[in-house]
Amino acid sequence: MNEKLPVEFLERMKEQLGDEYPDFLNSYNIKGRRGIRINELKTTAKEIKEQAPFSMEPVPWVSSGYFIDENDDPAGHPFYRAGLYYIQEPSAMTPADRLDIIPGEKVLDLCAAPGGKATALAVKLKGEGLLVANDASASRCRALLHNLELFGAGNIIVTNEQPAKLEKKFPEFFDKILVDAPCSGEGMFRKEPEVIGSWTPERVEYFSALQKSILKSAVKMLKPGGMMMYSTCTFSKEENEGSVSFVLDEFPDMQLMEIKSYEGFSKGRPEWGNKNLDISKTVRIWPHKMEGAGHYLALFKKKSSDDVKEEKIKAKKSVADKYNNTFNKDERAVMEEFIGLLNTDIDRSTLENRSGKVYMMPFDKSIVSGIKFLRCGLFMGELKKKRFEPSQSLALWSEAVNFKNCLDLDPADERIRRYFNGETIYVTEDENCENGIILIKINGNPVGFGKKVNSIIKNKYVFLK
């Protein structure tokens, strides 16, 4: 692969790395390792290891990450459609892992698509508080929403805005912010060789300027006392230490914090930025030092007048157990009948009926007024005449596992293949299921709904896009 790398890129890396350059260059002759990150909202690594037909070796610097073999096919296993793990390059797991999240906080993933880091943040929130996942690209936002719904996250708002627009909407609003910035992608050359052809020194300059603009907005949305993780998948000093230097120079209330270390991590280089010695607190992941493609991390804290006191901020939960005026009497009766099947406590005051589509929103809907969004809260399903049709996103919601009427199948059961293909499936006499809406599970993990009529289950599966 070395012969495909841009000459100007190699010259830059030789200047940056000095004696380490030969080892760095040789890393491109070594195939990068693949990984998955376990969705701890739904399962455990132990359960996946026992049930999945592929190998798992812990990624030592990430708590829920695992290496898998080159020939493993995690996307082809039914557990993938149940949202039990996310397929992710191991070094890319690090930024979200090193951003401490307290359930109940308000968290922003500013450049979130396709959702690798956003899904990790959702797991850390444990269904409490709020996750705003944003991406400026409308097409990429579709993948972001798909992955968050697949993971079973309900406390989400997926927005499609420029950071400068969000900055005006959310001044000093978020407790934690992750900025995995768009970059020149130098760390992805080994994993995605097609990126090589688009690299130029001018792209480094372009992304360096873009990152500064994004960071400026992010800082303004961070609460005093809040934490912000900045990350890239590039080796460029202009986009890494250079962008960090911009924050330190422009915002005196922002300070760099230590990042939990690992033996393979390298320190950021102050001389590649504004020479501020605190830049050594940032982290570089190099492919010749670790089993990762390459990443950069910088953890900031915004100073506050009460910087010593750390307080767990919990989301306010209404104790009211009644519907709002978006539901009429008949619609309330239909919803009550369905909620009775969930076996999970639902705060009716968080439900909203939008022209027959029902959403669960454990936060004030005014939060999205004036901004473009794809989803605000959990899409539960649709009211149709005198019945409620539950959505695929509700089936994958982390609490759906408690649905009363279920058919639990083994991954090897032929009915799983037919179900995913949209076909009708059948139940046997000894499978104790009731007529009506039924949740299909694989080894206890929900994958979608059906409607049982005697021995037949009419297919309601929808592959989220």
Side-chain angles (χ1 to χ4, degrees), residues 349-413:
S349 69
T350 67
L351 304 184
E352 182 176 352
N353 177 9
R354 304 178 199 161
S355 302
K357 294 185 176 182
V358 179
Y359 294 81
M360 184 192 303
M361 302 198 310
F363 35 77
D364 189 340
K365 67 178 181 180
S366 66
I367 197 172
V368 294
S369 63
I371 59 175
K372 294 181 289 185
F373 65 93
L374 278 75
R375 179 75 78 243
C376 180
L378 173 69
F379 174 46
M380 294 187 67
E382 296 187 60
L383 289 158
K384 294 185 176 181
K385 294 183 180 180
K386 294 185 178 181
R387 72 182 194 278
F388 181 74
E389 289 281 346
S391 69
Q392 181 66 21
S393 54
L394 181 64
L396 295 168
W397 182 42
S398 56
E399 293 296 321
V401 68
N402 298 314
F403 202 81
K404 290 181 180 178
N405 193 27
C406 301
L407 175 63
D408 199 352
L409 302 176
D410 185 90
D413 194 311

Side-chain angles (χ1 to χ4, degrees), residues 252-316:
D253 57 342
M254 296 294 287
Q255 61 184 118
L256 284 168
M257 307 298 291
E258 295 283 356
I259 296 173
K260 181 183 175 183
S261 186
Y262 171 72
E263 60 182 355
F265 288 174
S266 298
K267 293 182 178 182
R269 303 282 289 271
E271 67 272 23
W272 292 348
N274 64 358
K275 297 183 173 56
N276 187 318
L277 296 180
D278 279 350
I279 290 176
S280 63
K281 295 178 181 177
T282 67
V283 167
R284 279 180 172 271
I285 295 176
W286 294 102
H288 61 290
K289 292 189 173 183
M290 293 176 63
E291 294 183 297
H295 236 74
Y296 178 80
L297 298 79
L299 181 62
F300 292 93
K301 182 175 183 179
K302 181 182 275 190
K303 299 174 186 176
S304 68
S305 56
D306 193 13
D307 215 24
V308 178
K309 184 178 180 181
E310 293 184 3
E311 186 174 343
K312 183 175 181 179
I313 303 171
K314 293 188 175 180
K316 295 180 180 179

Side-chain angles (χ1 to χ4, degrees), residues 4 24 26 84 90 99 151 160 234 260 296 327 363 391 421:
K4 298 180 181 178
F24 171 79
N26 187 57
L84 301 192
L99 182 60
F151 252 52
N160 169 216
T234 184
K260 181 183 175 183
Y296 178 80
F327 295 87
F363 35 77
S391 69
N421 285 338

Side-chain angles (χ1 to χ4, degrees), residues 49-80:
K49 283 181 178 179
E50 290 173 349
Q51 300 171 18
F54 46 82
S55 63
M56 289 171 59
E57 176 190 339
V59 176
W61 65 91
V62 176
S63 59
S64 58
Y66 290 83
F67 293 115
I68 57 174
D69 283 348
E70 179 183 348
N71 296 322
D72 285 336
D73 183 24
H77 195 279
F79 286 170
Y80 179 69

Side-chain angles (χ1 to χ4, degrees), residues 108-307:
L108 170 65
D109 189 346
L110 188 52
C111 310
K117 296 172 177 67
T119 51
L121 299 177
V123 170
K124 288 190 168 194
L125 281 171
K126 298 181 180 178
E128 300 179 33
L130 170 66
L131 173 63
V132 176
N134 177 74
D135 203 90
S137 166
S139 60
R140 284 167 56 81
C141 269
R142 295 291 176 186
L144 171 61
L145 175 59
H146 162 80
N147 284 316
L148 283 168
E149 289 189 329
L150 199 61
F151 252 52
N155 55 327
I156 59 170
I157 298 176
V158 177
T159 58
N160 169 216
E161 286 288 1
Q162 295 294 332
K165 180 73 174 289
L166 292 182
E167 168 195 328
K168 295 180 175 62
K169 179 67 180 175
F170 299 111
E172 295 192 340
F173 180 84
F174 294 100
D175 302 287
K176 305 287 166 59
I177 295 177
L178 191 148
V179 182
D180 186 50
C183 67
S184 58
E186 296 172 353
M188 303 301 290
F189 286 174
R190 188 170 63 180
K191 180 188 175 191
E192 300 176 15
E194 62 273 16
V195 177
I196 296 173
S198 64
W199 186 93
T200 65
E202 290 73 26
R203 280 178 65 82
V204 172
E205 295 174 8
Y206 166 79
F207 283 112
S208 177
L210 178 60
Q211 290 153 8
K212 292 177 174 63
S213 174
I214 292 171
L215 283 166
K216 184 176 179 181
S217 295
V219 170
K220 293 182 179 180
M221 289 187 276
L222 186 65
K223 281 183 178 180
M227 307 287 283
M228 179 180 78
M229 175 68 78
Y230 173 70
S231 64
T232 73
C233 59
T234 184
F235 306 123
S236 156
K237 58 187 179 183
E238 294 89 346
E239 299 173 74
N240 293 334
E241 286 87 351
S243 291
V244 167
S245 297
F246 167 79
V247 174
L248 296 175
D249 291 340
E250 292 291 317
F251 301 97
D253 57 342
M254 296 294 287
Q255 61 184 118
L256 284 168
M257 307 298 291
E258 295 283 356
I259 296 173
K260 181 183 175 183
S261 186
Y262 171 72
E263 60 182 355
F265 288 174
S266 298
K267 293 182 178 182
R269 303 282 289 271
E271 67 272 23
W272 292 348
N274 64 358
K275 297 183 173 56
N276 187 318
L277 296 180
D278 279 350
I279 290 176
S280 63
K281 295 178 181 177
T282 67
V283 167
R284 279 180 172 271
I285 295 176
W286 294 102
H288 61 290
K289 292 189 173 183
M290 293 176 63
E291 294 183 297
H295 236 74
Y296 178 80
L297 298 79
L299 181 62
F300 292 93
K301 182 175 183 179
K302 181 182 275 190
K303 299 174 186 176
S304 68
S305 56
D306 193 13
D307 215 24

Side-chain angles (χ1 to χ4, degrees), residues 341 389-390 403-408 415 419 424-440 448-460:
L341 301 174
E389 289 281 346
F403 202 81
K404 290 181 180 178
N405 193 27
C406 301
L407 175 63
D408 199 352
R415 288 175 290 179
Y419 179 70
T424 296
I425 61 174
Y426 298 87
V427 295
T428 62
E429 290 184 2
D430 60 340
E431 288 172 327
N432 187 22
C433 308
E434 298 179 3
N435 284 339
I437 295 296
I438 187 168
L439 183 68
I440 309 301
F449 286 110
K451 186 174 182 180
K452 181 178 177 292
V453 180
N454 299 323
S455 63
I456 297 173
I457 295 181
K458 297 180 180 178
N459 202 308
K460 300 288 184 181

